[in-house]
Amino acid sequence: MKPKIYTAFMLLLFSVQLFAQCGQRYKEMIFQNVTTTTNITYSTSNNTTLKLDVYEPQGDTASMRPLIVLAHGGSFVSGNKSNDNVVTTLCTNFAKRGYVCASIDYRLASFLDMLDSSKAINEVMMAISDGKSAVRFFRKDAATTNTYKIDPNHIFVGGNSAGSVLFQHYISIDSVGEAPPSLQAIINNNGGIEGNSGNDGYSSEVHALINCAGGLNVPEFVGPGTKPVVHFHGDADNVVPYGCANAQGGATPVRLCGLGALDPLYQQYNVTHVSVVFPGDGHCPWASDNAKMTKVDTTAANFLYYTFFCTSGVGIKDMAKENEINVYPNPATEQLNVLLTNTNDYASVQLLDGTGRIISEKAVSAATTTFERGQIPAGVYFVKVMAKDATFSVKRVVFE
């Protein structure tokens, strides 16, 4: 859906009205600080103690908060809940938006195991079992001690790289019977569709996926009823292939199919989704590029917000144009950057105050346009990006 043409005043008024209807919680980072509780045991099954870290908004008084459970990368042989900067950044930022977030450890394999196709698939199934146990851990808590005050009707999962492979399969395989026979045996050996990692008796249902460079062994697992997904992938990725190929540049003899293969299926089955491709990029470019990490973070936040918490006004289809514009850091202190995906489509960038008055305007001459704060007071402002076809988009920003 192309953006409609509005006057600056009407679009700013619409933005204010939308926030009034839906609130800023879950979209904006309304909490300044986060409380992190580390090394919480969530499973002692399979002769293994598994732990997770919980991130909560400091000073929050809400009695029911949505939960996001995230898993780290590391090719299923390395990494942990605290050393994947993509996962810890997402946990911190989403907690500032009012979510409860958890970063989990899961069982890992040896490097040699991942060179054997059956052992590699078995490792992924063990990790899925652990992920389901982590979700059930929070539902069990909600039904008993209610330590974390989570809303069982809004539980989301996701991860980075291997963590996304884990959770992409988690949301996509609904029954043992839909898997190929060879995979059915491995699933059954790991406790069936619910796994054998403990916290039995509670639901492992989740409601959406944040997928950062994940993929599926069998793309046809995507079908009617697939959960909403926001998916990020570099189209030159060969670790978790953007199309379909063996993982790790062919070193792991297991096929994975990434966004290039899955997006047509998302569309075919009308899966609620947003797909963000990073042209020319390899594996997880957001891990080392702050602007791309901000794009992942804000797009994921907008996706969940407009899908589950603010379903009137702006919708998922309206995010397509918005995804071309990335404003960071937000909140800002000394400098504000506006990154445009398709530079040739845009003419100028304006910085407006809360009344719609233009503070500064710059012609688009490069991918990034920068505004120095100077004497601008703390408060809420708007970035207005003018396209060459006379349409425009507005982003809300904050100077601290």
Side-chain angles (χ1 to χ4, degrees):
M1 180 182 297
K2 292 184 179 180
K4 296 180 180 179
I5 301 174
Y6 299 96
T7 65
F9 174 77
M10 287 303 295
L11 190 56
L12 287 172
L13 179 61
F14 168 78
S15 178
V16 171
Q17 288 176 336
L18 183 62
F19 280 117
Q21 291 171 355
C22 300
Q24 297 183 40
R25 186 177 179 125
Y26 308 134
K27 188 176 193 295
E28 303 294 329
M29 297 185 207
I30 61 174
F31 294 91
Q32 289 190 338
N33 299 307
V34 172
T35 299
T36 305
T37 308
T38 61
N39 295 319
I40 300 165
T41 297
Y42 74 86
S43 175
T44 56
S45 299
N46 302 301
N47 298 313
T48 305
T49 298
L50 295 173
K51 298 180 181 293
L52 54 80
D53 295 342
V54 173
Y55 297 68
E56 300 176 80
Q58 193 174 109
D60 188 20
T61 59
S63 59
M64 295 183 71
R65 290 91 58 91
L67 169 70
I68 304 178
V69 178
L70 297 173
H72 62 84
S75 302
F76 292 102
V77 300
S78 64
N80 60 56
K81 58 186 171 55
S82 59
N83 71 358
D84 186 326
N85 71 298
V86 174
V87 168
T88 56
T89 297
L90 290 174
C91 281
T92 300
N93 290 350
F94 273 90
K96 288 182 177 180
R97 295 182 176 103
Y99 289 79
V100 176
C101 294
S103 175
I104 68 169
D105 282 337
Y106 52 90
R107 285 173 289 172
L108 300 175
S110 71
F111 176 77
L112 291 177
D113 285 341
M114 298 306 289
L115 300 180
D116 180 292
S117 60
S118 61
K119 290 181 179 179
I121 293 172
N122 186 69
E123 158 56 27
V124 176
M125 290 303 118
M126 290 193 302
I128 294 170
S129 174
D130 297 340
K132 291 195 172 187
S133 177
V135 170
R136 291 195 296 266
F137 168 82
F138 284 100
R139 277 212 171 87
K140 180 179 179 180
D141 174 82
T144 54
T145 60
N146 198 25
T147 304
Y148 305 106
K149 297 180 175 61
I150 66 110
D151 178 359
N153 296 313
H154 288 103
I155 297 180
F156 313 116
V157 293
N160 191 42
S161 187
S164 276
V165 173
L166 185 171
F167 279 121
Q168 177 82 66
H169 284 86
Y170 182 127
I171 72 158
S172 300
I173 304 176
D174 297 320
S175 67
V176 177
E178 71 178 278
S182 59
L183 185 54
Q184 289 182 27
I186 294 175
I187 295 173
N188 286 330
N189 287 338
N190 283 284
I193 200 68
E194 288 299 324
N196 55 9
S197 298
N199 298 314
D200 300 337
Y202 297 89
S203 171
S204 62
E205 181 185 6
V206 297
H207 304 99
L209 170 69
I210 300 172
N211 187 333
C212 300
L216 281 173
N217 174 241
V218 180
E220 289 76 19
F221 284 145
V222 174
T226 294
K227 302 293 185 182
V229 55
V230 54
H231 197 150
F232 307 94
H233 219 133
D235 65 4
D237 192 345
N238 68 352
V239 176
V240 177
Y242 177 72
C244 289
N246 283 353
Q248 299 291 333
T252 299
V254 175
R255 184 179 76 153
L256 280 179
C257 297
L259 179 57
L262 299 182
D263 186 75
L265 296 173
Y266 295 154
Q267 296 184 47
Q268 178 182 344
Y269 293 108
N270 294 315
V271 176
T272 299
H273 74 287
V274 167
S275 297
V276 180
V277 179
F278 290 82
D281 280 334
H283 192 54
C284 300
W286 43 84
S288 57
D289 187 312
N290 288 337
K292 291 173 183 177
M293 184 65 233
T294 299
K295 184 178 184 66
V296 168
D297 175 60
T298 56
T299 302
N302 288 340
F303 176 77
L304 294 183
Y305 181 74
Y306 292 128
T307 304
F308 294 96
F309 305 111
C310 186
T311 55
S312 62
V314 177
I316 293 301
K317 291 183 179 179
D318 298 289
M319 289 178 59
K321 195 74 173 178
E322 185 173 339
N323 285 336
E324 296 181 0
I325 304 166
N326 185 21
V327 180
Y328 68 97
N330 189 14
T333 53
E334 300 300 324
Q335 190 180 75
L336 185 69
N337 302 295
V338 182
L339 174 64
L340 304 176
T341 301
N342 297 314
T343 308
N344 292 334
D345 291 346
Y346 297 97
S348 66
V349 181
Q350 298 173 345
L351 181 63
L352 313 176
D353 67 14
T355 68
R357 180 178 64 90
I358 299 175
I359 298 173
S360 181
E361 182 173 8
K362 296 186 178 184
V364 173
S365 59
T368 301
T369 301
T370 299
F371 294 96
E372 300 294 340
R373 178 174 182 173
Q375 301 301 310
I376 295 175
V380 176
Y381 295 84
F382 296 90
V383 168
K384 179 182 176 183
V385 182
M386 295 293 304
K388 292 179 180 178
D389 64 0
T391 62
F392 58 84
S393 298
V394 173
K395 296 274 191 175
R396 180 182 182 275
V397 298
V398 175
F399 278 114
E400 292 183 329

